[in-house]
Amino acid sequence: MVGSQKRRTAARRIAAPGGARVVAVPDTTAPDLTLAAVRSAADYFQSWLGFRQTFLRVPGVQAALWYDDGVVMSSAYGLADAEAGTALTSSHLFRIASHSKMFTATAVMGLVEDGRLRLDDALASRLGWLAGTPVGDRTVGELLAHGGGVIRDGQDGDFWQLDRAFPDEAALRAVVADGAEILPANQQFKYSNIGFGLLGLVVEAVTGTSYAEFLQKAVVDRLGLTHTGPEFDPARSGEYAAGYSALSYADRRLPVDHVDTGALASATGFFSTADDLCRFTSAHFLGDDRLLSDRSKRILQRTEWKVEGADSDYALGFAVREVGGRRLVGHGGGYPGHATCTLFDPRARLAVSVLTNAIDGPSLSLAKAAVRLTDIAAAHPDPPDGIDAASLDRLCGRYANLWGVTDIARLGGRLYAIGPTADDPAEEPTELELTGPTTVRISHDSGYGSAGETLQFDVADDGTVRVIRGGMSWHPFERFQAAVAETDRVRVGTPIRP
């Protein structure tokens, strides 16, 4: 049975000069999900993710996949501390940077629901020291949508390179006083950490407590997120994954200290784990009332700005992107030493979070891959008639030859050959049709491959695959890897032979 394809249409509010317009646009063309399909994708995603961590030389990758009411997968690969040789676990803490904007937006909308704040409140009405300044007339909603035209990080943003400490409240006020208004309000999308710093001060003014205290109580504790907090916690310093510099300018990575983010905590201060981030975003699924009403969640998640030249748009504290026809909400985070990304589908109740401890870590591409694999599995959730999943699973594994690596994986009810070295494992998966207990037909590929040809699996008595023949031979990855280690040169007649 083929998974049904459903196209939903939703009205989205698109910001434009002079106001907002409401247009009807397709919301998703992705297949319906089932727990079995998500688990199938998660099984392969874990294997693929472990390979990618090593292949890309990322110190560590932590990931979680959530569906419906619970975690389907929570895994970690590589090292939390390369110098100490400490293995990364699912409980190591990561600095999740701009994920903090989702938490801030959630807290603001909770205050709106309680009648203590309005999205159209001018900042000066809450922060009296802004009265008479150009920034003072920008509204809470405009700053949540990055439509306030406010400077991104100030004239001197070298605190992002640890040149000095992040700005405290006094320094933030000084930035705002020094020409923070760059564009007229609502002229265009203009990302601003300074703007979200001001929103943190608004939260403090409304609640009479510190930003950290209010967020801890109103969001973190309410959801029981024991590995999440609004700012670096020195008391838990031993729990954090070390952060590392990039490889684009050096052949080795340098460890980067964790620092407090001061008055920009509401923009970039939070720490968390992939598991906790999935738990947080699950509270933003439609039908979940632990934090906000569905009405408020729809306001937060609707597209406010179509961002020209980017592969994502923006809502209120949440980024919006489409992956394979599925509309996803979430955020990424870039912190000195950590790169992170969380995506979720509030209607399908799917969430994925991928955290890396390198400033150039490919968290977005890894998270998108999880969604694409899930949709492939959901498109064909059941095996063809007369074939069971076990008969497909016995051929699955990672194989290699001189030309590279390929994975044979079951996604849903189909068997695929997937190249794990590609950024997107679902870009051109080669579908394999089982034609016998140990034979498959390459039923589809790009046309440059071997469509229509047969692969023969040589299976030992214990069920392990010894070699795949058909065109070039493929060998089990570990055996081929060991053979490479024992070979000094590839010659005619003496190939790499496990």
Side-chain angles (χ1 to χ4, degrees), residues 16-285:
R21 56 192 174 87
V22 178
V23 296
V25 295
D27 186 56
T28 181
T29 57
D32 292 336
L33 301 180
T34 65
L35 180 57
V38 176
R39 282 178 172 166
S40 169
D43 286 345
Y44 175 61
F45 180 60
Q46 292 185 88
S47 172
W48 180 84
L49 202 58
F51 179 90
R52 296 292 291 173
Q53 178 266 319
T54 301
F55 178 71
L56 296 174
R57 295 192 295 160
V58 179
V61 177
Q62 187 188 87
L65 187 65
W66 178 291
Y67 176 63
D68 200 12
D69 293 322
V71 173
V72 176
M73 180 208 94
S74 183
S75 302
Y77 310 88
L79 299 173
D81 187 321
E83 288 70 36
T86 305
L88 184 68
T89 70
S90 294
S91 60
H92 273 105
L93 309 179
F94 282 72
R95 304 304 297 276
I96 57 171
S98 287
H99 281 77
S100 306
K101 295 176 175 69
M102 294 193 295
F103 287 87
T104 298
T106 301
V108 167
M109 188 57 72
L111 294 173
V112 170
E113 283 193 345
D114 292 342
R116 304 170 69 183
L117 187 65
R118 293 170 57 91
L119 292 178
D120 59 2
D121 280 348
L123 294 184
S125 70
R126 300 296 179 169
L127 303 174
W129 55 274
L130 284 174
T133 69
V135 172
D137 68 358
R138 312 297 157 93
T139 69
V140 169
E142 287 167 349
L143 264 61
L144 283 173
H146 296 293
V150 177
I151 197 168
R152 191 185 196 281
D153 294 299
Q155 298 295 336
D156 182 356
D158 276 344
F159 50 84
W160 280 110
Q161 302 192 71
L162 274 60
D163 175 70
R164 63 185 185 282
F166 273 68
D168 58 13
E169 182 177 344
L172 177 60
R173 289 191 182 207
V175 169
V176 175
D178 187 26
E181 68 287 356
I182 302 300
L183 297 173
N186 292 316
Q187 178 172 302
Q188 68 181 59
F189 175 81
K190 179 170 176 46
Y191 196 81
S192 176
N193 287 312
I194 297 300
F196 263 79
L198 291 174
L199 289 173
L201 297 183
V202 169
V203 169
E204 292 185 344
V206 172
T207 63
T209 63
S210 71
Y211 171 84
E213 182 180 350
F214 182 73
L215 267 289
Q216 185 72 37
K217 180 179 179 180
V219 179
V220 177
D221 292 345
R222 184 176 292 185
L223 295 179
L225 304 179
T226 58
H227 290 88
T228 301
E231 182 56 280
F232 177 65
D233 184 354
R236 303 183 70 173
S237 59
E239 300 177 53
Y240 288 85
Y244 291 92
S245 63
L247 291 178
S248 56
Y249 42 74
D251 59 1
R252 65 187 180 94
R253 298 185 185 275
L254 299 175
V256 182
D257 286 348
H258 291 286
V259 294
D260 189 290
T261 60
L264 294 186
S266 48
T268 192
F270 264 79
F271 67 84
S272 191
T273 62
D275 190 293
D276 261 15
L277 281 170
C278 283
R279 293 180 187 278
F280 166 72
T281 56
S282 74
H284 288 272
F285 293 168

Side-chain angles (χ1 to χ4, degrees), residues 394 458-466:
R394 68 195 298 259
D458 181 355
V459 181
D461 291 340
D462 64 0
T464 61
V465 176
R466 288 185 288 230

Side-chain angles (χ1 to χ4, degrees), residues 207-492:
T207 63
T209 63
S210 71
Y211 171 84
E213 182 180 350
F214 182 73
L215 267 289
Q216 185 72 37
K217 180 179 179 180
V219 179
V220 177
D221 292 345
R222 184 176 292 185
L223 295 179
L225 304 179
T226 58
H227 290 88
T228 301
E231 182 56 280
F232 177 65
D233 184 354
R236 303 183 70 173
S237 59
E239 300 177 53
Y240 288 85
Y244 291 92
S245 63
L247 291 178
S248 56
Y249 42 74
D251 59 1
R252 65 187 180 94
R253 298 185 185 275
L254 299 175
V256 182
D257 286 348
H258 291 286
V259 294
D260 189 290
T261 60
L264 294 186
S266 48
T268 192
F270 264 79
F271 67 84
S272 191
T273 62
D275 190 293
D276 261 15
L277 281 170
C278 283
R279 293 180 187 278
F280 166 72
T281 56
S282 74
H284 288 272
F285 293 168
L286 297 180
D288 191 309
D289 62 0
R290 286 175 293 168
L291 292 179
L292 298 169
S293 68
D294 280 359
R295 178 180 182 181
S296 291
K297 284 180 289 210
R298 289 190 179 98
I299 292 173
L300 285 180
Q301 296 170 16
R302 71 190 180 192
T303 302
E304 292 288 325
W305 287 101
K306 301 294 291 182
V307 184
E308 298 298 328
D311 65 351
S312 65
D313 299 320
Y314 212 82
L316 296 180
F318 292 78
V320 181
R321 70 178 65 244
E322 184 175 298
V323 176
R326 185 176 296 281
R327 184 180 188 269
L328 301 168
V329 189
H331 222 291
Y335 178 86
H338 287 179
T340 56
C341 181
T342 300
L343 304 172
F344 68 97
D345 182 334
R347 293 177 175 82
R349 304 177 65 83
L350 176 74
V352 58
S353 183
V354 178
L355 315 182
T356 70
N357 60 341
I359 201 167
D360 59 353
S363 54
L364 173 59
S365 64
L366 298 178
K368 288 166 64 175
V371 176
R372 290 185 179 277
L373 291 169
T374 298
D375 283 343
I376 290 176
H380 301 284
D382 302 311
D385 292 342
I387 296 175
D388 58 23
S391 61
L392 301 176
D393 289 341
R394 68 195 298 259
L395 304 181
C396 292
R398 178 160 293 138
Y399 304 93
N401 65 19
L402 179 64
W403 286 83
V405 181
T406 191
D407 289 342
I408 306 298
R410 178 175 65 85
L411 298 174
R414 298 292 187 273
L415 205 61
Y416 296 92
I418 299 172
T421 59
D423 289 341
D424 181 1
E427 185 175 4
E428 288 186 357
T430 300
E431 188 172 340
L432 306 176
E433 176 188 351
L434 191 69
T435 55
T438 59
T439 58
V440 298
R441 177 180 176 272
I442 302 172
S443 59
H444 172 74
D445 66 17
S446 66
Y448 282 98
S450 304
E453 300 179 24
T454 295
L455 300 179
Q456 175 70 52
F457 290 72
D458 181 355
V459 181
D461 291 340
D462 64 0
T464 61
V465 176
R466 288 185 288 230
V467 66
I468 303 174
R469 291 191 170 89
M472 289 190 292
S473 298
W474 294 86
H475 304 273
F477 180 80
E478 291 80 6
R479 289 175 53 198
F480 192 81
Q481 194 176 48
V484 170
E486 297 175 358
T487 303
D488 62 354
R489 188 180 185 88
V490 180
R491 301 176 177 85
V492 174

